[in-house]
Amino acid sequence: MKIGLIGYGKMGKEIEKIAIERGHSIPLIIDAHNPGDLTSENLTNCDAVIEFTMPESAVRNYMACFEAGVPVVSGTTGWLHRQEEVHRKCRETDGTFFYASNFSVGVNLFFELNRKLAQLMADHPEYQVRMTEVHHTQKLDAPSGTAITLAESLLEILPGKKSWKNQAQVAADELSILSERVGEVPGIHTITYESEVDLIEITHSAKNRKGFALGAVLAAEFCLQNKGILSMKDLLKF
Ligand SMILES: NC(=O)c1ccc[n+]([C@@H]2O[C@H](COP(=O)([O-])OP(=O)(O)OC[C@H]3O[C@@H](n4cnc5c(N)ncnc54)[C@H](OP(=O)(O)O)[C@@H]3O)[C@@H](O)[C@H]2O)c1
């Protein structure tokens, strides 16, 4: 298939490699140097677009894809406060929007593990829950989109937690998410339950960006047969 790339940074380049390996072509690459090429004419030459840019540009890019009638897969994080507006526009234009805060299959298994562990821990208030996430120093948003997805499940399942805060010291009904920015780390997420007598911890640690890039290409392939607002749950059939 013909895949357009919006964003040609660390992820865009990794996605290009995997898309070509899987037999796709890349007729369009847009980054901050050529935003003028984001025209309906150029977009309609693509079967789908994969967007990995920045929180400030993501929504504008999605809207351009909806207007052009081209399915858009995006992994950009930090724009979710505008999710309602994006979903509305997608529905109005009968478009296709596949978003994942994390495209790695392993992380999506970890999301399910997080939910299952939280269900077990919901009846054990003697355990205090907290989360840490570690990423490379160029990452713009904190906490990570993946950490927010994990936190949303915890808030839904754990009766004592009402909201999350990106700091170490929090109120009893808040979930602490601690963000660290270190070197070249692609992403580590840990959820810890600690009581007076022991500690239970689950961790997902990405070794490189390949897993994210492969998931994004699989999502673009999925958009050929599926329409509407899509997620990794649809792709992985959880
Ligand atoms: N969902 C996932 O699985 C996943 C995994 C990893 C990362 N991410 C997220 O993906 C995003 C990108 O990550 P990255 O590591 O690839 O970042 P990056 O290396 O900084 O790349 C960002 C790219 O976006 C381009 N850009 C900036 N403004 C633009 C605009 N208005 N239109 C088009 N392109 C624009 C930049 O162009 P210039 O280089 O010309 O400035 C650069 O090529 C981040 O939000 C990150 O959190 C998600």
Side-chain angles (χ1 to χ4, degrees), residues 139-181:
K139 185 161 178 65
L140 296 177
D141 51 326
S144 68
T146 304
I148 294 174
T149 303
L150 290 163
E152 279 169 354
S153 292
L154 295 177
L155 299 183
E156 191 190 309
I157 297 167
L158 297 174
K161 297 295 172 190
K162 304 282 172 254
S163 57
W164 57 261
K165 237 185 209 160
N166 198 202
Q167 60 187 48
Q169 298 304 321
V170 294
D173 64 351
E174 290 172 337
L175 169 70
S176 160
I177 307 178
L178 210 56
S179 299
E180 279 182 67
R181 295 295 172 255

Coordinates of all heavy atoms in Angstrom, one line a residue, residues 139-181:
K139 N 12.1 13.8 25.0 CA 10.6 13.6 25.1 C 10.0 14.9 25.6 O 10.4 15.4 26.7 CB 10.3 12.4 26.0 CG 8.7 12.2 26.0 CD 8.4 10.8 26.5 CE 6.9 10.6 26.5 NZ 6.3 10.6 25.2
L140 N 8.9 15.4 24.9 CA 8.4 16.7 25.3 C 7.3 16.6 26.4 O 7.2 17.6 27.1 CB 7.8 17.3 24.0 CG 8.7 17.7 22.9 CD1 8.0 18.2 21.7 CD2 9.8 18.7 23.3
D141 N 6.5 15.6 26.4 CA 5.4 15.5 27.3 C 5.7 14.7 28.6 O 6.5 13.7 28.5 CB 4.1 15.0 26.6 CG 4.4 13.7 25.9 OD1 5.5 13.5 25.4 OD2 3.5 12.8 25.8
A142 N 5.1 15.0 29.7 CA 5.2 14.2 30.9 C 3.9 14.4 31.7 O 3.5 15.5 31.8 CB 6.4 14.7 31.8
P143 N 3.3 13.3 32.2 CA 3.8 11.9 32.0 C 3.5 11.5 30.6 O 2.9 12.1 29.8 CB 2.9 11.1 33.0 CG 1.6 12.0 33.1 CD 2.1 13.4 33.0
S144 N 4.1 10.3 30.2 CA 4.0 9.8 28.9 C 2.5 9.4 28.6 O 1.8 9.2 29.5 CB 4.8 8.5 28.7 OG 4.3 7.5 29.5
G145 N 2.2 9.4 27.3 CA 0.8 9.0 26.9 C 0.6 7.5 27.4 O -0.6 7.2 27.8
T146 N 1.6 6.7 27.4 CA 1.4 5.3 27.9 C 1.1 5.3 29.4 O 0.2 4.6 29.8 CB 2.7 4.5 27.6 OG1 3.0 4.6 26.2 CG2 2.6 3.1 28.0
A147 N 1.8 6.2 30.1 CA 1.6 6.2 31.6 C 0.1 6.7 31.8 O -0.6 6.2 32.7 CB 2.5 7.2 32.2
I148 N -0.4 7.6 31.0 CA -1.8 8.1 31.2 C -2.8 7.0 30.9 O -3.7 6.8 31.7 CB -2.0 9.4 30.3 CG1 -1.1 10.5 30.8 CG2 -3.5 9.7 30.3 CD1 -1.2 11.8 29.9
T149 N -2.5 6.2 29.8 CA -3.4 5.1 29.6 C -3.4 4.1 30.7 O -4.5 3.6 31.2 CB -2.9 4.3 28.3 OG1 -2.9 5.3 27.2 CG2 -3.9 3.2 27.9
L150 N -2.2 3.8 31.3 CA -2.1 2.9 32.4 C -2.9 3.5 33.6 O -3.6 2.8 34.3 CB -0.7 2.6 32.8 CG 0.2 1.8 31.8 CD1 1.7 2.0 32.1 CD2 -0.2 0.3 31.9
A151 N -2.7 4.8 33.8 CA -3.3 5.4 35.0 C -4.8 5.4 34.9 O -5.6 5.2 35.8 CB -2.8 6.9 35.1
E152 N -5.3 5.6 33.6 CA -6.8 5.7 33.4 C -7.4 4.3 33.8 O -8.5 4.3 34.4 CB -7.1 6.0 32.0 CG -7.0 7.5 31.8 CD -7.1 7.9 30.3 OE1 -7.1 7.1 29.4 OE2 -7.1 9.2 30.1
S153 N -6.7 3.2 33.5 CA -7.3 1.9 33.9 C -7.3 1.8 35.4 O -8.2 1.3 36.0 CB -6.4 0.8 33.3 OG -6.6 0.7 32.0
L154 N -6.2 2.3 36.1 CA -6.1 2.1 37.5 C -7.2 3.0 38.2 O -7.8 2.5 39.2 CB -4.7 2.6 38.0 CG -3.5 1.7 37.6 CD1 -2.2 2.3 38.0 CD2 -3.7 0.3 38.1
L155 N -7.5 4.2 37.7 CA -8.5 5.0 38.3 C -9.9 4.4 38.1 O -10.8 4.5 39.0 CB -8.5 6.4 37.6 CG -7.2 7.2 37.8 CD1 -7.4 8.6 37.2 CD2 -6.8 7.3 39.2
E156 N -10.1 3.7 37.0 CA -11.4 3.0 36.7 C -11.6 1.8 37.7 O -12.7 1.6 38.1 CB -11.3 2.5 35.3 CG -12.6 2.1 34.7 CD -12.3 1.4 33.3 OE1 -11.6 2.0 32.5 OE2 -12.7 0.2 33.1
I157 N -10.5 1.1 38.0 CA -10.6 -0.2 38.7 C -10.4 -0.1 40.2 O -11.1 -0.7 41.0 CB -9.6 -1.2 38.1 CG1 -10.1 -1.5 36.6 CG2 -9.6 -2.5 38.9 CD1 -9.0 -2.2 35.8
L158 N -9.4 0.8 40.6 CA -9.1 0.8 42.1 C -10.0 1.8 42.8 O -10.0 3.0 42.5 CB -7.6 1.3 42.3 CG -6.5 0.3 41.7 CD1 -5.1 1.0 41.8 CD2 -6.6 -1.0 42.4
P159 N -10.8 1.3 43.7 CA -11.9 2.2 44.3 C -11.3 3.4 45.0 O -12.0 4.5 45.0 CB -12.6 1.3 45.3 CG -11.8 0.0 45.4 CD -10.8 0.0 44.3
G160 N -10.1 3.4 45.6 CA -9.6 4.5 46.4 C -9.0 5.6 45.6 O -8.6 6.7 46.1
K161 N -8.8 5.5 44.3 CA -8.1 6.5 43.5 C -9.0 7.2 42.5 O -9.8 6.6 41.8 CB -7.0 5.8 42.6 CG -5.9 5.1 43.5 CD -5.1 6.1 44.3 CE -4.2 5.3 45.3 NZ -3.6 6.3 46.2
K162 N -9.0 8.6 42.7 CA -9.9 9.4 41.9 C -9.2 10.2 40.8 O -9.9 10.6 39.8 CB -10.6 10.5 42.8 CG -11.3 9.8 44.0 CD -12.6 9.3 43.6 CE -13.3 8.5 44.8 NZ -13.3 7.0 44.6
S163 N -7.9 10.4 40.9 CA -7.2 11.2 39.8 C -5.7 10.9 40.0 O -5.3 10.3 41.0 CB -7.4 12.7 40.0 OG -7.0 13.1 41.3
W164 N -4.9 11.3 38.9 CA -3.5 11.1 39.0 C -2.8 12.4 39.1 O -3.3 13.4 38.6 CB -3.0 10.3 37.8 CG -3.3 10.8 36.4 CD1 -4.3 10.3 35.6 CD2 -2.5 11.8 35.7 NE1 -4.2 11.0 34.4 CE2 -3.2 11.9 34.5 CE3 -1.4 12.6 36.0 CZ2 -2.7 12.8 33.5 CZ3 -1.0 13.5 35.0 CH2 -1.7 13.6 33.8
K165 N -1.6 12.5 39.6 CA -0.8 13.7 39.6 C 0.7 13.3 39.3 O 1.2 12.2 39.7 CB -0.8 14.3 41.0 CG -1.3 15.7 41.0 CD -1.2 16.4 42.4 CE -2.3 17.4 42.4 NZ -2.6 17.8 43.8
N166 N 1.3 14.2 38.5 CA 2.7 13.9 38.1 C 3.7 14.4 39.1 O 4.5 15.2 38.8 CB 2.9 14.6 36.7 CG 4.1 14.1 35.9 OD1 4.6 14.8 35.1 ND2 4.5 12.9 36.2
Q167 N 3.6 13.8 40.3 CA 4.6 14.1 41.4 C 4.6 13.0 42.4 O 3.8 12.1 42.4 CB 4.1 15.5 42.0 CG 2.8 15.4 42.7 CD 2.3 16.8 43.1 OE1 2.4 17.8 42.4 NE2 1.8 16.9 44.4
A168 N 5.7 13.0 43.2 CA 5.9 11.9 44.2 C 4.9 11.9 45.3 O 4.3 10.9 45.7 CB 7.3 12.0 44.7
Q169 N 4.7 13.1 45.9 CA 3.8 13.2 47.1 C 2.4 13.6 46.7 O 2.2 14.6 46.1 CB 4.4 14.3 48.1 CG 5.8 14.0 48.7 CD 5.9 12.7 49.4 OE1 4.9 12.3 50.1 NE2 7.0 12.0 49.2
V170 N 1.5 12.7 47.0 CA 0.1 13.0 46.6 C -0.9 12.7 47.7 O -0.5 12.0 48.7 CB -0.3 12.1 45.3 CG1 0.5 12.5 44.1 CG2 -0.2 10.6 45.6
A171 N -2.1 13.1 47.5 CA -3.2 12.8 48.6 C -3.5 11.3 48.4 O -3.3 10.7 47.4 CB -4.4 13.7 48.3
A172 N -4.3 10.8 49.5 CA -4.6 9.4 49.5 C -5.4 9.0 48.3 O -5.3 7.8 47.8 CB -5.3 9.1 50.8
D173 N -6.3 9.9 47.8 CA -7.2 9.4 46.7 C -6.5 9.8 45.3 O -7.2 9.7 44.3 CB -8.5 10.1 46.8 CG -8.5 11.6 46.7 OD1 -7.4 12.2 46.7 OD2 -9.6 12.2 46.6
E174 N -5.2 10.2 45.3 CA -4.5 10.4 44.1 C -3.5 9.3 43.8 O -2.9 8.8 44.7 CB -3.8 11.8 44.1 CG -4.8 13.0 44.2 CD -4.1 14.3 44.4 OE1 -3.0 14.3 45.0 OE2 -4.7 15.3 44.1
L175 N -3.3 9.1 42.5 CA -2.2 8.2 42.0 C -1.0 9.0 41.7 O -1.1 9.9 40.8 CB -2.8 7.4 40.8 CG -1.7 6.6 40.1 CD1 -1.3 5.4 40.9 CD2 -2.3 6.1 38.7
S176 N 0.1 8.6 42.2 CA 1.4 9.3 41.9 C 2.0 8.7 40.6 O 2.1 7.5 40.5 CB 2.4 9.2 43.1 OG 3.7 9.4 42.6
I177 N 2.3 9.6 39.7 CA 3.1 9.2 38.5 C 4.4 10.0 38.5 O 4.4 11.2 38.5 CB 2.4 9.4 37.2 CG1 1.0 8.8 37.2 CG2 3.2 8.9 36.0 CD1 0.2 9.1 35.9
L178 N 5.5 9.3 38.6 CA 6.8 10.0 38.6 C 7.5 9.8 37.3 O 7.6 8.7 36.8 CB 7.7 9.4 39.7 CG 8.7 10.3 40.4 CD1 8.0 11.5 41.0 CD2 9.4 9.5 41.6
S179 N 7.9 10.9 36.7 CA 8.5 10.9 35.3 C 10.0 11.2 35.5 O 10.3 12.2 36.1 CB 7.9 11.9 34.4 OG 6.5 11.7 34.3
E180 N 10.8 10.4 34.8 CA 12.3 10.6 34.8 C 12.7 10.7 33.3 O 12.2 10.0 32.5 CB 13.0 9.5 35.4 CG 13.1 9.5 36.9 CD 14.0 8.3 37.3 OE1 15.2 8.2 37.1 OE2 13.4 7.3 37.9
R181 N 13.6 11.7 33.0 CA 14.1 11.8 31.7 C 15.6 11.5 31.7 O 16.4 12.3 32.3 CB 13.8 13.2 31.1 CG 12.3 13.5 31.0 CD 11.7 12.6 29.9 NE 10.2 12.7 29.9 CZ 9.4 11.7 30.4 NH1 9.9 10.6 31.0 NH2 8.1 11.9 30.3

